[in-house]
Amino acid sequence: MTILVTGATGTIGRHVVEQLVKKGVRVKAVTRNPETAQLPEGAEAVAGDLTKADTLREVLTGVTGIHLIASSYDSYMPWNTDPALIRLAEEAGVQRVSLLMSYEEGPLEEALKASSLEWTMLMPVEFMSNALIDWQPSIQAEGVVREPFGSVRSARIHEGDIAAVSVAALVNGGHHSQSYYLTGPEALSRIEAVKVIAEATGKDIRFEELSEEEARQRWSEQGYDEESIAFFVQMGKNPPEIGYTVLPTVEQVTGKPARTFAEWVLDHKDRFI
C-alpha cells in the first residue's frame, strides 16, 4: 500500500503523514519544495503542483490511495486542485481517494463522484488550530483576545482527528460514497474557548468583545474585501447549524472519541505563553 498525501506539510496533511508512517504505510508526500520539506522519517517527499495535474503523472505510479485537498485555505494565495488529477489517478490504478473539501462542491468533487475511484469526502467545521492563527499574537503580547460575536458557539475539531478519518478511509476502506461532516465533541463559544486556554496555560487572558463596526474596520485593515467582510458578519450573526452541532462521526469512523479543545490546548500551550 502506498498513499500519496497532498498538502503534506499543511495543517491536516502533516498529521495524515505522521499517522500513516506510524502504521507502516509507505507515504509519498507532495510538496512544491521537496528538498526543504520537513517530514517524518519514512515519508518520501515528491514534487508536484496540484494546480497542474500533469506534474503528478509520474508520482502516481504505484499509488493505491490519495489524501487530496481541494483548494488552499490561504485567503492571500488561493488556488484550486486541477480536476484532471482524477483522470490521471484512474489511469494510474489508484483505488481510493479521501478528499478534504472546501466550502462547497466544485469541478473537482464532480469529477471524483463521476469516477471509478472509491471516494470519501471530508467536510470539517472550524479547526482548533485557528486559535493559533487568530489569537496567539494578542495572547502572547497582551493577554487578551479581541473578537466579535463572543457567544457564538463552534464545534471545533482537532486537526489530528480530521487526519484520522482520512487515514481510516484510505487504509481500511468501507467508506465509499460517504460525505462526512466532522466536528469535535463539544460546542464552545469564543468566550468559553478563551477560558480553556487561560486555564491550561495558567495565564490571565481577557476576552474583549468587538462591536460589529469595530470588527468590520479590523477586517478592512487586514485587507479583506467587502464581500468577505459581509460573509464574516453573516457567519457571526447567523452561523450555519452544522458549525455548532456535535456529531459522532469521528468516533464512528476511527473507533476513538474526538479530542476536546482542552486536549488540543494542552498540546500547544507553550505557544500561548
Side-chain angles (χ1 to χ4, degrees), residues 52-75:
K52 301 174 182 177
D54 204 54
T55 65
L56 293 163
R57 184 184 295 272
E58 293 185 7
V59 171
L60 288 167
T61 301
V63 169
T64 53
I66 305 175
H67 167 78
L68 186 60
I69 55 176
S71 62
S72 167
Y73 283 90
D74 187 342
S75 59

Side-chain angles (χ1 to χ4, degrees), residues 21-183:
V21 168
K22 285 181 180 179
K23 288 180 175 290
V25 176
R26 185 186 178 204
V27 175
K28 291 184 178 183
V30 177
T31 172
R32 292 188 179 186
N33 301 295
E35 297 82 7
T36 58
Q38 296 182 347
L39 299 167
E41 185 176 352
E44 176 190 0
V46 295
D49 182 347
L50 290 176
T51 67
K52 301 174 182 177
D54 204 54
T55 65
L56 293 163
R57 184 184 295 272
E58 293 185 7
V59 171
L60 288 167
T61 301
V63 169
T64 53
I66 305 175
H67 167 78
L68 186 60
I69 55 176
S71 62
S72 167
Y73 283 90
D74 187 342
S75 59
Y76 294 100
M77 295 181 64
W79 51 260
N80 296 306
T81 295
D82 184 352
L85 181 59
I86 302 303
R87 175 180 53 80
L88 294 182
E90 287 184 288
E91 293 174 356
V94 174
Q95 299 169 18
R96 297 171 182 159
V97 173
S98 175
L99 175 63
L100 184 63
M101 289 180 57
S102 51
Y103 296 109
E104 58 186 19
E105 287 193 19
L108 179 66
E109 289 81 2
E110 293 171 2
L112 184 57
K113 285 186 173 182
S115 75
S116 60
L117 300 170
E118 181 181 323
W119 56 265
T120 308
M121 296 194 186
L122 310 182
M123 297 172 286
V125 297
E126 181 182 1
F127 297 173
M128 291 180 182
S129 58
N130 285 357
L132 285 173
I133 299 170
D134 297 335
W135 301 342
Q136 179 190 29
S138 63
I139 287 177
Q140 286 185 326
E142 305 174 73
V144 65
V145 169
R146 298 181 180 90
E147 290 279 3
F149 315 117
S151 61
V152 171
R153 293 182 300 136
S154 171
R156 297 169 180 81
I157 183 167
H158 194 299
E159 53 271 21
D161 288 335
I162 302 171
V165 173
S166 178
V167 169
L170 292 170
V171 174
N172 303 331
H175 302 278
H176 178 44
S177 299
Q178 296 298 316
S179 296
Y180 291 134
Y181 279 105
L182 304 177
T183 77

Side-chain angles (χ1 to χ4, degrees), residues 2 27 62 76 99 119 131-132 146 165 175 196 207-208 219 226 232 236 240 248 250 256 270 272:
T2 300
V27 175
Y76 294 100
L99 175 63
W119 56 265
L132 285 173
R146 298 181 180 90
V165 173
H175 302 278
V196 171
F207 184 91
E208 295 182 3
W219 289 324
E226 286 302 316
F232 297 156
V250 169
K256 296 181 180 180
D270 290 346
F272 290 104

